[in-house]
Amino acid sequence: MDHSIELFGKTLSNPLMPASGCFAFGQEAATYQDLGLWGALISKTVTLEPRLGNPPPRVVETPSGLLNAIGLQNPGIDRFLCDQLPFMRTHHPAVIVNIAGNSVDDYVQLCERLQDQDIFAIELNLSCPNVKKGGMALGTSPELIRQVTAACKGVVDFPLIAKLTPNVTDIVSCALAAQEGGADAVSLVNTFLGMAIDLNTRRPVLQNNTGGLSGPCIKPLALRMVAQVYQAVDIPIIGLGGIQTGRDVLEFMLAGARVVQIGSANFADVHLAHRVLEEVQESREKLQISSWDTWIGGLNYWKS
């Protein structure tokens, strides 16, 4: 069965992508899997300058999930363009670069550096603190989301994806702001803010005190947000949050996601892409899903 799907006017081999931050730049994964199994590759977040990230401990397992406070460790845009991007391009025709900054100008500069590169799209990580707004996370303000997206849209020809934080009271207004700013798609959702505590030390386990919660425990929350936003926006949704099986993929697509990203599940299964594609095949045959377009957003709600 053909699992290909159209996104931004181009055809991807399937709707699966590794979520940013859970796959690095694919170099380690390439030693044990064919990176071409993914519909597209997404880079770890790239910033203007290199970042060492937060001090350890910065990762801890929780029931049905994973808390991380890595701190966007990355080599910076210069090294990325010289070392990591060429590697990704040789292993996959569709590369999405995830970027982050502490101000609107940071995002614009990164987009300008990427404008002449052979990439598929840019994903804006909008969960970072805006230093010019007193540390407020960019993604918690619809107005800042609109500003960042519009500013980036003005300097690149690539499709722009706004990756939104779920740590807001109204995810729909944030998604609409991204659409108004010119985003070509939204990624829903990034990690939820959480904490783990060590009773012996009476301290948070993570030295950052809090971290981003991912894994199957957030799936119901992410599904709800995808379904809500699908009813409000006109641009594609990229769904993520706790996906680890083929059935999870189909659930997100039924809720309204056009394609999906798989994150922390990659740490538990090095052959995840191959397995999930097989499970997608089995589920499509069982449910007689002949076309993605007849399935995406086809959720039947109970009448109130």
Side-chain angles (χ1 to χ4, degrees):
M1 184 179 291
D2 181 15
H3 299 308
S4 65
I5 191 164
E6 183 180 305
L7 183 66
F8 308 140
K10 297 184 179 180
T11 300
L12 303 180
S13 60
N14 64 68
L16 307 185
M17 307 174 183
S20 177
C22 298
F23 210 69
F25 302 105
Q27 290 159 312
E28 294 86 356
T31 62
Y32 50 77
Q33 67 174 263
D34 176 9
L35 300 187
L37 288 172
W38 299 92
L41 290 183
I42 304 180
S43 77
K44 193 180 192 317
T45 299
V46 179
T47 55
L48 283 174
E49 302 296 332
R51 291 193 184 184
L52 293 175
N54 294 321
R58 55 187 189 178
V59 177
V60 59
E61 288 190 67
T62 61
S64 298
L66 183 74
L67 271 175
N68 92 84
I70 301 299
L72 302 183
Q73 178 180 339
N74 77 95
I77 187 65
D78 291 332
R79 285 283 305 278
F80 171 74
L81 293 178
C82 290
D83 301 333
Q84 283 78 29
L85 183 57
F87 173 86
M88 297 179 74
R89 283 287 306 133
T90 58
H91 284 76
H92 208 289
V95 173
I96 299 172
V97 181
N98 181 292
I99 62 172
N102 291 326
S103 66
V104 175
D105 186 58
D106 285 356
Y107 284 89
V108 170
Q109 288 187 56
L110 285 161
C111 285
E112 289 174 337
R113 295 293 305 277
L114 292 167
Q115 170 61 16
D116 295 328
Q117 303 298 319
D118 185 10
I119 59 177
F120 179 64
I122 295 174
E123 185 176 59
L124 307 174
N125 180 349
L126 298 176
S127 300
C128 304
N130 186 332
V131 295
K132 295 184 179 180
K133 294 290 184 180
M136 175 195 301
L138 287 160
T140 61
S141 165
E143 180 54 34
L144 285 175
I145 292 172
R146 188 181 299 107
Q147 287 180 23
V148 173
T149 309
C152 291
K153 194 67 177 177
V155 297
V156 294
D157 300 321
F158 299 116
L160 283 183
I161 304 164
K163 186 172 184 178
L164 304 180
T165 174
N167 300 300
V168 295
T169 55
D170 184 7
I171 192 68
V172 172
S173 64
C174 293
L176 286 171
Q179 177 175 277
E180 292 164 6
D184 299 281
V186 289
S187 291
L188 304 173
V189 291
N190 209 330
T191 55
F192 288 78
L193 191 63
M195 177 185 284
I197 292 176
D198 185 327
L199 293 179
N200 294 316
T201 63
R202 303 185 187 182
R203 293 178 181 273
V205 175
L206 300 176
Q207 190 156 324
N208 193 61
N209 294 319
T210 60
L213 180 64
S214 61
C217 59
I218 73 168
K219 177 189 161 189
L221 301 170
L223 273 175
R224 184 262 299 175
M225 291 184 169
V226 167
Q228 279 185 303
V229 170
Y230 179 74
Q231 297 176 72
V233 302
D234 300 317
I235 55 179
I237 296 171
I238 301 174
L240 66 152
I243 298 174
Q244 55 182 351
T245 68
R247 291 189 64 86
D248 292 338
V249 171
L250 294 186
E251 287 180 32
F252 269 84
M253 297 180 80
L254 191 62
R258 185 155 192 85
V259 295
V260 302
Q261 297 176 14
I262 305 179
S264 52
N266 281 291
F267 298 134
D269 184 357
V270 297
H271 303 295
L272 181 139
H274 182 267
R275 173 180 60 78
V276 171
L277 281 173
E278 286 189 336
E279 293 172 354
V280 166
Q281 174 79 14
E282 293 170 3
S283 293
R284 286 188 68 181
E285 291 175 352
K286 182 178 180 179
L287 296 167
Q288 298 181 334
I289 306 170
S290 59
S291 168
W292 284 131
D293 288 332
T294 62
W295 184 259
I296 296 169
L299 188 61
N300 294 318
Y301 289 91
W302 294 96
K303 304 297 183 182
S304 58

